Amino acid sequence: MAVYLQNLSARAPLMRDLEAVTRLMSVSDIAEHGMSDCTKEDVLALWQEPGFNLKTDAWVIVSKEQIVGYAAIWHDDYACIYMKVVVHPNYRGRGIGTLLLRLAEQRARMIAVHARTEVRITLSSTVSQINETARQLLEREGYMLARHYWRIVIEVDETTPHTHSKSGPQSKLKVALDIDSQRLTGATSLYEHDGVYAIRQYAVYEKELRAGEDPCAGGKSSDQLILV
């Protein structure tokens, strides 16, 4: 692997790194979108997923005890494999993203051997549409643009009547729209709620690791609305 880092080291993350990894992801979000809604609970949820091994499925890059890079990989039945790669804005262009991407792909190929022989295996990564550096890196490493989607996050007051459900009031409403950007006009009414604080476009890149029947196809509908 012809990637060399100066004054940097790579290792598996530890549970005590949770806050630092969350902070790194927040800093990256703020650099790209001016704000972040990433929480420790979001990161921890992945680390505690059944089948996820923090020692083998995630990596951090450290500079003088500061975590400046992070990657993680997870899968759906070994065939639909996903990765997340984050590099601190001040440390981009130094080969960190390339190293993390290649480590993740290497691990993905190890995971893929457990998939059923007839299924297609893909490795995909979602990046901000405005992160040109990340998009160019993925394309250079052989990933193809598969689709775009918009993510809209709305925060409303917990006393607002429409946020109540059978389980009680909801203090936060997260809306993820997975639609073609040309059809975003169908979501215009969402902008009228008080507290809209994130409207972001993402690009999903994909690399085929093995041809076959596509087990991920059922989750790629052109229109998807998820309320959490």
Side-chain angles (χ1 to χ4, degrees):
M1 186 177 295
V3 177
Y4 301 95
L5 305 180
Q6 292 185 338
N7 302 318
L8 300 169
S9 61
R11 62 170 172 81
L14 305 171
M15 274 297 174
R16 67 169 179 262
D17 296 321
L18 179 61
E19 287 193 17
V21 170
T22 304
R23 186 161 53 249
L24 170 64
M25 296 178 71
S26 295
V27 167
S28 179
D29 284 345
I30 291 170
E32 293 170 2
H33 303 286
M35 56 191 66
S36 175
D37 62 330
C38 179
T39 67
K40 290 190 297 183
E41 289 72 22
D42 295 330
V43 180
L44 186 60
L46 172 61
W47 288 7
Q48 295 181 335
E49 274 284 318
F52 182 86
N53 188 332
L54 195 58
K55 293 181 179 179
T56 59
D57 300 337
W59 306 264
V60 291
I61 304 296
V62 183
S63 173
K64 298 178 181 179
E65 300 185 357
Q66 177 188 2
I67 291 179
V68 298
Y70 166 74
I73 192 166
W74 63 101
H75 64 89
D76 182 4
D77 200 22
Y78 303 104
C80 305
I81 310 175
Y82 311 95
M83 68 176 167
K84 176 73 173 179
V85 177
V86 183
V87 179
H88 193 288
N90 295 340
Y91 286 80
R92 293 174 182 173
R94 299 178 58 179
I96 295 174
T98 302
L99 175 61
L100 290 171
L101 188 65
R102 293 181 181 178
L103 286 171
E105 183 172 333
Q106 185 178 56
R107 175 59 179 159
R109 293 183 183 279
M110 296 174 64
I111 291 172
V113 301
H114 300 289
R116 301 192 311 276
T117 56
E118 73 277 10
V119 302
R120 177 175 182 258
I121 301 173
T122 59
L123 174 59
S124 63
S125 179
T126 299
V127 296
S128 171
Q129 176 66 18
I130 65 175
N131 190 337
E132 189 66 25
T133 301
R135 295 174 60 202
Q136 290 179 354
L137 171 60
L138 287 163
E139 291 169 2
R140 189 168 64 244
E141 293 292 315
Y143 291 78
M144 303 293 291
L145 179 62
R147 61 192 176 104
H148 289 96
Y149 74 89
W150 290 85
R151 181 170 186 260
I152 299 176
V153 179
I154 302 172
E155 185 170 313
V156 294
D157 188 274
E158 63 179 6
T159 60
T160 305
H162 68 263
T163 65
H164 285 240
S165 66
K166 293 181 180 179
S167 60
Q170 303 293 314
S171 60
K172 191 174 184 180
L173 174 67
K174 288 188 178 181
V175 182
L177 290 176
D178 185 350
I179 57 175
D180 187 293
S181 59
Q182 300 299 316
R183 301 169 66 180
L184 189 61
T185 52
T188 303
S189 60
L190 292 171
Y191 304 161
E192 298 174 0
H193 292 303
D194 291 337
V196 173
Y197 71 94
I199 303 175
R200 308 168 185 168
Q201 186 180 20
Y202 291 89
V204 180
Y205 283 83
E206 182 180 277
K207 177 184 282 191
E208 183 178 81
L209 304 184
R210 189 181 74 191
E213 299 176 5
D214 193 352
C216 309
K220 293 184 179 179
S221 59
S222 59
D223 292 61
Q224 185 179 38
L225 176 63
I226 304 172
L227 302 180
V228 180

